[in-house]
Amino acid sequence: MIPVEKNKEYTVTIENISSDGNGIAHIDGFAVFVPQTAAGDTAEILIVKVLKRFAYGKLLKIITPSPLRCESDCAHYKRCGGCQLRHIKYDAQLEIKKDIIENAMRRIGAFEDFALDGITGMDKPERYRNKMVFPIGRADGKNVCGFYAQRSHSIIPLTDCAIGDEINGRITGAVLEYMNENGVSAYDESSHTGVIRRVFTRKSFCSGEIMVVISANARKLPKREKLIAKLRNISDKIVSVILNINMKRNNLVITDENVTLWGADRISDTLCGIKFMISPQSFFQINPVQTEKLYQKALEYAEIDNGMSVMDIYCGIGTISLCAAKLAKRVIGVEIVAKAIADAKENAENNGIQNAEFYADSAGNLVPRLIARGETPDIVILDPPRKGSDDATLAAIVKAMPKRIVYVSCNPSTLARDARCLADNGYTIEKSQAFDLFPHTMHVETVLLMSRADNGSVEKA
Ligand code: SAH
C-alpha cells in the first residue's frame, strides 16, 4: 500500500538532499522528493506525482526553516530550472556535494571508509559562467528569451542570470529587438516553424572577448546587418557573431554548421598560461577560475617528470594535455570529436608545444589499439563525460600498467563505478579532492589519484 495520494497535502521534515538536488522526506517510510527544500526544514507539501517506490512533492509553505537556508538573491530562482541549491548557504552547498561524492564512493564503489581530502569552493560564487545558452520562443503573443522552467520547455523570460555575465541581458535584449523590428520569427518546437532558436554566448575571462552565436532554423538571417549593428553597439568586446544552422526537428544546443556573420570565427582564452582557441562547438570548462585549480590539482597528483609519457583520455581541445606536455617527455591525447582534435593540434602549435600528439576516435576503440601497438604511459589522466569510461578503455589502461591514474570526473556515480574496476585490477586510491565548478547547482567535479598498489608486480590483465 502506497501511503501518499496525489493532490493531497502533507507536513514533512526534510532529512537530506538527493544527488539531483531535491529534499528527501519520508511519509510512513515512503520516500518523497521535494525541490527547493533543505535538510531540517519542516514544510507543508502537495504531492504532485506518485510512482511505485517514491513520490514527488511541491513545497507549499515552510513551517520551520532549516538553519542551512538563506534568502535566494535571484528573482527567477523559484521557477527557473537552472540552479537547484540557491536557497542553501554556500558552505552548506559544499558539504552537500562532499556527502554526495562520499556516499557514491561508499555505496556504488564499495570503498567503505572513503573520505575526500576536501572540497574547494569559490571565494565569490557568482557570475562564474563563461558560456550561456538562452532559448527563444513565444509566450503571450510575444517573442521571449530566457530559461526553461523546471522540467519543462516553457520559457521564463529573463534578462539577467546571476551565474552568467551581466552583458548577456543586453545581448539577448538586442536579439529580441532585432526580431521584433524586422519581423523575424521565433522557432516553434511543436510545429517546426519559425527562425531563431537560441542565443548562445561565450566569454573569454582573460581577454574579455565575447562570441555571440545565433542558432537558427535558416541558412541565412534576414537583415542580418541590423542584428550585427545592434550587437556591435553594445560593446567592442563583442568580437564574433556566428550563425549556427539547425534545420532539423531536434533539440540540439549547437550543430557543426557555423557561418561567421561578423568578426572572428573563434575567440581565445588562457588557462594555466596556455592560450586556447575556442570554436562555437568546442568543449571548454564553463568556470575558468575553478578549472585552473582543478587542472593544477590533477597535475600535482600526476607528479609528472620530464622523462615520463602521459596519456590524456577524453582530452577535448587538449587543455589538460598541453599543461601536462610542459612537464612530460611526451603526451598522447585521445578524444572522440574530430574538430576538438584539430583544435588541440593547433593549440599545441600556437603554444610552441611539440611533444603532444592527438588522435580522434572513441577511447574504447583507440586506447586498446595504442596500448597494443606498444604505448606504455607512465601516467594516465582521464576526464570522461558524465557516463564515465567504458570496459574496453579501462581494461586497456590496466594492461598498460601506468604508475598513476588521475581520474577527473563530473559524475560521482560513474567515478565510483570506474574506480572500483581499477581497484579490482591493482590500483589503490591515494588522494581525492572535489572542486565546485558549478555553485548553486548540483554539479561537482572530483579529482581522484590512484596508484599501482604493488609497484609493478601485478600480472598484466
Ligand atoms: N579534458 C577536457 C574535456 C573533458 S569533457 C577538458 O577538461 O576540457 C569530456 C570529453 O570527452 C569531451 O571533449 C567529449 O567530446 C569527449 N568524449 C565523449 N565520449 C568520448 C569517447 N567515447 N571517447 C573519447 N572521447 C569522448
Side-chain angles (χ1 to χ4, degrees):
M1 256 285 284
I2 291 176
V4 299
E5 250 178 73
K6 191 175 165 177
N7 293 330
K8 256 183 97 171
E9 293 179 18
Y10 296 83
T11 299
V12 295
T13 297
I14 304 296
E15 299 147 25
N16 215 333
I17 299 287
S18 71
S19 58
D20 44 11
N22 296 317
I24 308 170
H26 285 88
I27 298 172
D28 293 337
F30 193 77
V32 181
F33 295 101
V34 192
Q36 301 197 357
T37 55
D41 279 340
T42 301
E44 276 172 25
I45 63 159
L46 177 75
I47 295 293
V48 290
K49 190 170 184 179
V50 181
L51 299 166
K52 259 193 203 140
R53 292 174 51 206
F54 54 87
Y56 286 102
K58 183 178 160 202
L59 176 63
L60 295 177
K61 192 175 143 202
I62 301 278
I63 300 168
T64 317
S66 155
L68 308 180
R69 276 191 171 270
C70 62
E71 262 319 300
S72 155
D73 53 358
C74 170
H76 309 288
Y77 176 55
K78 283 213 165 75
R79 293 174 59 215
C80 174
C83 294
Q84 298 80 38
L85 297 178
R86 207 166 251 287
H87 61 289
I88 294 178
K89 291 174 187 160
Y90 187 56
D91 284 352
Q93 291 185 20
L94 296 178
E95 281 305 309
I96 290 170
K97 294 185 185 189
K98 189 165 166 277
D99 281 351
I100 286 172
I101 297 166
E102 291 181 343
N103 283 335
M105 291 297 283
R106 290 174 195 160
R107 285 190 299 116
I108 302 169
F111 299 102
E112 273 173 31
D113 305 317
F114 180 87
L116 280 170
D117 298 336
I119 177 162
T120 306
M122 290 193 83
D123 296 337
K124 272 175 58 193
E126 297 302 334
R127 305 216 175 270
Y128 58 83
R129 284 191 69 106
N130 59 10
K131 175 182 122 176
M132 295 298 281
V133 182
F134 299 90
I136 285 194
R138 303 268 304 164
D140 301 328
K142 283 197 207 133
N143 293 326
V144 289
C145 177
F147 277 95
Y148 291 127
Q150 293 166 31
R151 289 184 289 279
S152 111
H153 268 194
S154 64
I155 295 172
I156 303 169
L158 66 81
T159 51
D160 188 25
C161 165
I163 60 176
D165 197 281
E166 274 157 307
I167 202 167
N168 290 319
R170 282 186 281 153
I171 293 172
T172 53
V175 175
L176 286 176
E177 228 177 71
Y178 149 79
M179 291 170 65
N180 295 337
E181 288 171 8
N182 298 286
V184 182
S185 55
Y187 178 71
D188 176 58
E189 262 181 42
S190 52
S191 61
H192 187 48
T193 55
V195 178
I196 310 284
R197 291 169 169 254
R198 295 185 169 78
V199 183
F200 175 109
T201 65
R202 268 189 193 275
K203 178 180 175 171
S204 157
F205 273 36
C206 273
S207 64
E209 290 172 351
I210 293 166
M211 169 186 276
V212 179
V213 183
I214 309 291
S215 160
N217 175 33
R219 303 211 151 265
K220 282 196 172 146
L221 278 192
K223 304 207 183 124
R224 68 182 200 179
E225 65 292 344
K226 303 262 188 203
L227 172 68
I228 293 164
K230 278 189 195 295
L231 291 172
R232 289 184 64 186
N233 213 8
I234 294 173
S235 162
D236 56 11
K237 288 289 181 194
I238 297 179
V239 297
S240 165
V241 181
I242 309 259
L243 169 66
N244 182 253
I245 300 167
N246 182 1
M247 311 281 291
K248 295 208 175 118
R249 210 180 242 275
N250 61 29
N251 209 22
L252 280 182
V253 171
I254 194 148
T255 67
D256 283 340
E257 211 176 338
N258 294 304
V259 177
T260 304
L261 298 180
W262 179 80
D265 302 341
R266 294 181 294 177
I267 56 171
S268 65
D269 207 345
T270 306
L271 273 181
C272 305
I274 299 174
K275 188 173 167 188
F276 294 95
M277 297 305 296
I278 306 164
S279 314
Q281 70 272 47
S282 303
F283 177 88
F284 193 72
Q285 284 284 9
I286 58 95
N287 180 336
V289 172
Q290 293 295 91
T291 298
E292 286 204 330
K293 297 181 199 165
L294 173 81
Y295 288 175
Q296 271 154 10
K297 185 56 78 178
L299 294 173
E300 178 195 311
Y301 282 1
E303 279 188 73
I304 298 166
D305 69 39
N306 58 14
M308 286 179 167
S309 69
V310 177
M311 190 176 281
D312 178 22
I313 311 175
Y314 311 97
C315 70
I317 59 168
T319 39
I320 301 176
S321 325
L322 296 182
C323 295
K326 288 196 160 181
L327 308 166
K329 183 172 173 202
R330 179 163 168 251
V331 174
I332 296 179
V334 172
E335 157 67 42
I336 199 166
V337 175
K339 177 75 178 71
I341 285 295
D343 286 349
K345 287 180 181 167
E346 195 185 325
N347 287 328
E349 203 177 309
N350 289 344
N351 287 282
I353 294 172
Q354 286 165 352
N355 59 339
E357 295 154 39
F358 293 96
Y359 299 96
D361 198 347
S362 75
N365 280 338
L366 204 47
V367 178
R369 272 196 271 138
L370 289 168
I371 303 302
R373 84 167 192 204
E375 295 293 346
T376 51
D378 300 289
I379 309 291
V380 166
I381 299 173
L382 64 164
D383 182 6
R386 288 187 64 76
K387 70 173 197 270
S389 191
D390 54 63
D391 292 346
T393 306
L394 294 172
I397 293 172
V398 167
K399 204 167 173 189
M401 302 208 303
K403 289 189 185 67
R404 285 181 283 282
I405 299 173
V406 179
Y407 194 132
V408 180
S409 162
C410 57
N411 183 349
S413 311
T414 53
L415 170 68
R417 180 199 67 200
D418 294 346
R420 169 46 53 203
C421 168
L422 294 169
D424 288 344
N425 285 282
Y427 285 84
T428 307
I429 295 178
E430 303 276 353
K431 295 177 186 174
S432 58
Q433 177 80 25
F435 289 86
D436 191 19
L437 267 65
F438 315 98
H440 311 303
T441 78
M442 282 315 291
H443 297 288
V444 64
E445 294 273 332
T446 313
V447 189
L448 189 73
L449 168 65
M450 299 186 82
S451 300
R452 289 289 305 281
D454 54 0
N455 268 330
S457 64
V458 139
E459 277 196 18
K460 289 203 175 196

